Amino acid sequence: MTPDFRTEITLPADARILQLVHDYGYNLAVLADFPQHQAELLAQALWEACENSIRHAYDDEPGLITVVGELTPNALILAVHDQGLPFDETLEPKLHPIDTDACRHLSQHTLGLSLIHRCVDEVHWINHGPQGKELRLTKYRSECCRLQPQTAAPHGPPHEPPVAQSPRDYTIRLVDPEDALRVAQLMYRVYGYTYPRVNIYYPDRLAHNIKCGIHVGVVAVTADGEIVGHVGLIRPELGSLAELEQLAIAPSHRGQGLFKRMDKLLQGEIRRMELVGLYAEAVTVHTISQEGSENKGLHAAGIELLHLGVHFKKLEIIQHNLGYRDTKPGPVFQGETALVFYFDYLSPPETTRLYAPDRHRQILTDIYRNLGVPVEFLKPEPTAGNGRLSVQYRKNYGVGLIQVDRIGSDTFPKIEQACRDLCDLAESVAVFLDLPLSQGGTPDLCEAAETIGFFFSGVRPGFASDGDFLRLQYLNATLDPDRIHLISPFARKLLDYILRDKTRVEQNR
C-alpha cells in the first residue's frame, strides 16, 4: 500500500497554469492506483476547482492559489486554497442533476461545483476567515467514480465590475441573514482581509449575528439583486451600546448618494433600539475614518497609541466613498499609528459621578463636556477583599487588554503580572488597562499603575458594568508621534495631553 504523503504547489491565479494543475492532479491519481479514466476525472475536478478560484476569487486583481495533494491508505485528498472573496456553498442554489435550462440562472460557482460533485466522493468548503478559504475534494480509493469522462461545461466571461446605475435603480433595505455571503464579499472587495472585525468574513457567523440582532445593517441592492453597499453596527451581547461599522460601497457604484440613503434607514433603526450610546474607532494613518466619525456626530474620548498595521485594499475606494477626489491609487501601509476612540451619547446622563486622580480631573472634565455631560468628582475610598479582572490578547492588533471589574487589595499585583506576561510572553506592542470610574479605589489604583509605566489614554463611557472605564495604556515599543494625523482640534488637544502624561510617567519610573 502506498504510504501517506503530502505535497503542495503555490501558483499565480492565472488561467495559464490550469494545464499544470491538471497534470499535477492526474499524476497524483495515478500514483494512488486509480484507473486512467478515474485519474482523468479527478484531474478535471481539480482543474474546475482551480478555474473557479482563478475566475471568481480575486476579481481582476492578482492573487495566489495553493493546491495541496494528500495521499492516505484510504483516499486521495485534493485541496485548493485562496485568500480571495469569501464563499459559502450553503448559500448557493443546488442543481441535481445538471439541467441545461436551469444552468442559465445559476452562478459559475454553482455550475463548477455541480461538476466537481459528480467526479469525487466528498466536497467540503472550509472557511478560514482572514486566512481565506479551502475547497477540499476527497476520492476514496476503494470505490469507482460515478461518471465516465466528460467535457466540462463552458464558462461565461470573467467577472466584470458592475456598471453604476441611476439612484432610482437601487433598493435600500435592512440586511437579511441570506445577505451574509454577499456582504462578506463586498467587504473583501473594499478592504481585502484587513477589516479588524473578522466575523464579517465568515458568512455563517455573520448570518447568525444578523439573525439574532448583534449585527444590524443596511444594504444597497441593484435591480439585478447585487449588494453594492453596506453600513451597519455591532451590538455586543445585545447591550445598550453599539459600534458603528465601516462604510463599504462597491467601487463602480460610488457617487450615487448611497451612503446618505443607507444611513437614513440605519438612524431609524438606532432610534428604535433605544441605545444609550454609539462608538467607533478611527485610524490615524489618515483622517478619512475620523471625518466619517465626526460627520456622524461622534466625539473623541480617547486615543490609543500602538503599532497597528493598517492596509486598505485600495485607498482610493474609501476616499471616493467619502467624497475625496484627486487621490493616488494603490495600497497604503502604515506600521506605526494610533486609534481615536469616538463616542456619542444617545441618552446622556444628567451628571456623571467619577472617582479619578486629581491630576486627570481637568482633561476628564473636558472630555465629558465635549460629550455634553457634566461631571462630579468623588473622594477616593479604601478597598478591601479580592478583586476581579480579565486579561485578553488581541492577536489581530498585537495588543493586550486588562479589564478590572472589581477593585480589591490584590488587584495591583495581578495587573503588574498580567502586563509583564502580555509583553514578555505574547510580545504585545501595547497593553491597555481599564479601571472602573464608579469605584472608590480607582484613584489609588491608577497612581500605582503609573509607577510601572501606564499613562492616560481616555475614557470608555458605559463600557463598565457599573458605569464608565478610565483607560490607561502601556507601550512596549517605540512610537513616532509625527506619524499620527488628527483632524479635530479636540483630538489634537487630547493627544498633547496623552504625550505629556507619557513623558511624566517615564521620567518618574
Side-chain angles (χ1 to χ4, degrees):
M1 180 176 290
T2 306
D4 295 0
F5 76 89
R6 183 182 187 277
T7 181
E8 69 176 61
I9 54 174
T10 299
L11 301 165
D14 187 313
R16 291 174 293 181
I17 58 93
L18 287 173
Q19 186 61 51
L20 177 61
V21 168
H22 174 280
D23 295 345
Y24 176 79
Y26 179 84
N27 288 321
L28 284 175
V30 170
L31 190 61
D33 297 324
F34 285 104
Q36 183 177 357
H37 73 279
Q38 291 183 8
E40 179 60 35
L41 284 171
L42 289 170
Q44 287 186 17
L46 184 60
W47 174 303
E48 186 68 33
C50 290
E51 188 173 24
N52 265 322
S53 180
I54 291 169
R55 285 180 177 273
H56 304 289
Y58 295 105
D59 289 339
D60 296 324
E61 297 181 330
L64 297 174
I65 60 172
T66 297
V67 184
V68 177
E70 182 176 349
L71 185 60
T72 75
N74 298 321
L76 173 62
I77 301 170
L78 301 171
V80 179
H81 301 250
D82 69 59
Q83 280 192 282
L85 285 167
F87 180 67
D88 187 346
E89 182 189 8
T90 64
L91 300 178
E92 287 282 339
K94 300 295 188 298
L95 184 64
H96 300 293
I98 294 179
D99 178 84
T100 304
D101 292 332
C103 285
R104 300 192 183 100
H105 306 290
L106 296 177
S107 71
Q108 294 295 329
H109 262 308
T110 303
L111 285 172
L113 285 175
S114 181
L115 293 169
I116 291 169
H117 272 284
R118 292 160 65 89
C119 293
V120 299
D121 295 316
E122 293 183 8
V123 179
H124 297 287
W125 278 102
I126 302 174
N127 196 333
H128 299 293
Q131 283 69 52
K133 62 183 181 294
E134 170 189 351
L135 178 59
R136 184 176 298 175
L137 315 179
T138 301
K139 178 62 182 176
Y140 292 108
R141 302 175 73 179
S142 60
E143 298 180 2
C144 295
C145 190
R146 290 166 284 178
L147 290 180
Q148 294 299 314
Q150 59 176 297
T151 304
H155 285 291
H159 174 83
E160 296 291 341
V163 179
Q165 305 173 17
S166 65
R168 65 179 179 273
D169 292 330
Y170 297 94
T171 299
I172 308 298
R173 60 169 174 80
L174 294 176
V175 69
D176 289 325
E178 293 77 12
D179 299 327
L181 173 60
R182 305 297 184 250
V183 171
Q185 292 179 339
L186 173 67
M187 293 297 291
Y188 169 82
R189 287 189 170 105
V190 175
Y191 299 102
Y193 278 123
T194 64
Y195 191 69
R197 303 300 184 190
V198 297
N199 279 346
I200 207 160
Y201 296 116
Y202 293 86
D204 54 342
R205 298 184 191 178
L206 180 57
H208 173 268
N209 287 344
I210 294 171
K211 185 175 182 180
C212 66
I214 293 175
H215 179 106
V216 178
V218 175
V219 291
V221 187
T222 63
D224 58 1
E226 182 178 4
I227 291 178
V228 296
H230 170 268
V231 65
L233 55 83
I234 298 174
R235 191 181 177 190
E237 300 179 358
L238 299 179
S240 59
L241 300 178
E243 179 181 8
L244 288 173
E245 289 261 75
Q246 193 67 260
L247 165 68
I249 297 178
S252 58
H253 293 264
R254 301 186 296 256
Q256 303 294 324
L258 295 181
F259 170 68
K260 290 183 179 180
R261 296 177 62 190
M262 291 189 296
D263 188 60
K264 181 178 180 180
L265 181 54
L266 182 63
Q267 292 302 320
E269 286 299 297
I270 291 173
R271 290 190 294 270
R272 183 186 63 80
M273 289 185 287
E274 298 181 348
L275 298 171
V276 171
L278 295 173
Y279 63 96
E281 292 180 329
V283 298
T284 61
V285 63
H286 55 71
T287 61
I288 299 171
S289 56
Q290 296 174 50
E291 290 188 22
S293 297
E294 298 269 349
N295 291 338
K296 294 183 180 73
L298 279 67
H299 306 279
I303 298 177
E304 301 171 356
L305 309 178
L306 74 163
H307 288 218
L308 173 66
V310 179
H311 175 251
F312 288 114
K313 191 176 179 206
K314 286 188 176 179
L315 182 59
E316 73 271 16
I317 293 176
I318 301 157
Q319 291 170 325
H320 278 288
N321 280 344
L322 295 175
Y324 281 68
R325 296 295 182 268
D326 301 324
T327 56
K328 295 181 179 180
V332 172
F333 178 79
Q334 175 71 58
E336 297 183 4
T337 184
L339 288 178
V340 183
F341 175 77
Y342 278 93
F343 190 85
D344 179 44
Y345 276 111
L346 301 179
S347 299
E350 293 184 2
T351 301
T352 295
R353 294 174 175 82
L354 309 175
Y355 291 95
D358 290 343
R359 69 166 51 91
H360 297 317
R361 288 187 174 185
Q362 184 57 56
I363 190 64
L364 289 172
T365 300
D366 294 341
I367 290 174
Y368 279 98
R369 182 187 298 118
N370 206 35
L371 295 173
V373 177
V375 296
E376 176 185 343
F377 293 102
L378 306 175
K379 294 182 179 180
E381 297 178 359
T383 58
N386 295 325
R388 185 177 70 248
L389 57 79
S390 60
V391 181
Q392 302 176 32
Y393 174 65
R394 297 177 174 176
K395 185 177 180 180
N396 287 342
Y397 291 93
V399 304
L401 172 63
I402 305 170
Q403 178 178 303
V404 178
D405 297 308
R406 184 174 64 237
I407 299 175
S409 57
D410 61 343
T411 300
F412 176 66
K414 291 182 177 179
I415 291 174
E416 190 172 21
Q417 182 63 52
C419 181
R420 186 159 49 244
D421 290 344
L422 286 166
C423 292
D424 295 344
L425 301 180
E427 298 183 344
S428 299
V429 296
V431 178
F432 301 103
L433 173 61
D434 284 343
L435 304 181
L437 283 165
S438 61
Q439 297 183 28
T442 285
D444 292 338
L445 186 57
C446 177
E447 296 275 1
E450 290 174 350
T451 65
I452 61 173
F454 282 96
F455 56 95
F456 186 85
S457 177
V459 296
R460 297 244 162 176
F463 275 68
S465 60
D466 54 2
D468 303 348
F469 275 131
L470 169 67
R471 173 154 287 194
L472 306 179
Q473 55 192 319
Y474 176 97
L475 293 190
N476 191 34
T478 59
L479 176 79
D480 182 2
D482 293 335
R483 303 179 74 173
I484 298 174
H485 305 284
L486 300 171
I487 185 173
S488 76
F490 185 77
R492 290 193 290 269
K493 174 182 177 180
L494 187 55
L495 177 63
D496 289 342
Y497 181 87
I498 291 171
L499 294 176
R500 289 198 306 271
D501 197 53
K502 175 178 178 291
T503 301
R504 176 188 65 82
V505 167
E506 291 173 345
Q507 292 173 346
N508 292 336
R509 291 188 66 185

